[in-house]
Amino acid sequence: MPMFYYFDWSYVVLVLPALILAMYAQGKVSSTFNKYSRVPNHVGITGAEAARRIMEMNGIYDVSIERVSGNLTDHYDPSKKVLRLSDSVYSSTSIAAVGVAAHETGHAIQHARGYAPLSLRSLMVPLANIGSRLAMPLILLGIIFGFASSMGDSLIYLGIILFGLSVLFTIVTLPVEFNASKRAIACLEDSRILYEDEIGGAKKVLSAAAMTYVASTAVAVANMLRLIILFGGRRRND
């Protein structure tokens, strides 16, 4: 039988372009952050100080700020009301550090204001974790059982549904991240933490970071479509 009969066009057409976009996005955010991490802001304010000032501007006094190890591991934990800033952001006075700190503070503002997409994303975290852990094992088990019984189809479809939960989580994440960046830039402009000529650098850092979320969503959606193409017609073909 010809070799090209087994050519997986769905991977080449759907997944591969998304993976290339993800690699480009990761490289872009790293290079942009590194560039502006070498540029100190005129005020000399650190990432942690900027985060605290922005929260106080927005009447938020019950969120603590902690240092966390790693590179670009910054995040806001709504369950504990803790803003965690990485080593390269917490005590740095660079434009990049202030931009990232402001973005994470944007999530704290979202939480304080009851921003619906953030609340939805928080509710989806357990389901998304279950989906990402169990989807592929169930699909693999389904392939194995599929040779002997109809149980295989049920396991495959359940795996696809669970994978869909993790895909939905990445989609919901997009407006949350874009909105946090929008809030961050507005706060930096209103507070004059960064000078006008520095705002552009912060925008570039946050735009590059946003691209990684878009790329992650593209990869997730592409894989979901591939699973549907590969297994969607299984019962019908059988």
Side-chain angles (χ1 to χ4, degrees):
M1 190 167 289
M3 291 293 293
F4 63 80
Y5 181 83
Y6 298 100
F7 182 73
D8 187 359
W9 66 268
S10 64
Y11 182 86
V12 176
V13 174
L14 294 173
V15 180
L16 187 58
L19 289 175
I20 293 173
L21 175 62
M23 288 188 291
Y24 171 78
Q26 191 58 49
K28 182 67 174 179
V29 71
S30 296
S31 62
T32 305
F33 182 85
N34 289 337
K35 175 182 178 180
Y36 288 99
S37 65
R38 295 190 293 267
V39 183
N41 64 78
H42 294 310
V43 177
I45 191 171
T46 67
E49 291 169 343
R52 176 57 62 197
R53 184 180 298 184
I54 292 173
M55 284 193 286
E56 290 176 352
M57 284 174 49
N58 287 273
I60 301 173
Y61 300 97
D62 58 348
V63 173
S64 59
I65 302 175
E66 298 178 355
R67 184 193 296 265
V68 64
S69 60
N71 183 41
L72 294 179
T73 50
D74 314 85
H75 63 279
Y76 171 67
D77 185 345
S79 63
K80 297 181 179 179
K81 288 192 173 183
V82 176
L83 184 67
R84 298 188 176 96
L85 301 178
S86 63
D87 293 330
S88 58
V89 170
Y90 187 92
S91 57
S92 173
T93 59
S94 70
I95 292 175
V98 171
V100 171
H103 171 86
E104 298 305 330
T105 308
H107 290 309
I109 298 173
Q110 290 174 336
H111 189 204
R113 302 289 186 271
Y115 182 61
L118 177 66
S119 300
L120 177 60
R121 187 177 73 167
S122 298
L123 289 174
M124 290 184 63
V125 168
L127 293 176
N129 288 337
I130 292 173
S132 62
R133 285 198 301 267
L134 297 182
M136 295 313 298
L138 284 173
I139 291 173
L140 290 175
L141 282 175
I143 294 174
I144 295 173
F145 279 102
F147 291 105
S149 70
S150 60
M151 181 184 296
D153 287 335
S154 298
L155 290 172
I156 288 174
Y157 295 144
L158 178 58
I160 292 176
I161 291 172
L162 289 177
F163 188 81
L165 293 176
S166 63
V167 174
L168 183 59
F169 178 80
T170 64
I171 294 174
V172 172
T173 294
L174 287 178
V176 175
E177 297 299 330
F178 281 115
N179 180 265
S181 290
K182 181 179 179 180
R183 292 174 188 266
I185 295 300
C187 288
L188 290 175
E189 290 175 336
D190 293 343
S191 64
R192 300 190 181 278
I193 291 175
L194 295 182
Y195 285 15
E196 185 175 351
D197 62 327
E198 298 172 321
I199 292 293
K203 286 182 178 179
K204 290 179 181 179
V205 171
L206 297 185
S207 294
M211 187 183 297
T212 63
Y213 290 102
V214 173
S216 295
T217 301
V219 171
V221 171
N223 277 300
M224 181 70 182
L225 291 175
R226 181 168 178 258
L227 289 175
I228 293 174
I229 290 171
L230 291 176
F231 302 110
R234 181 183 178 84
R235 188 183 300 277
R236 182 173 61 255
N237 293 336
D238 291 344

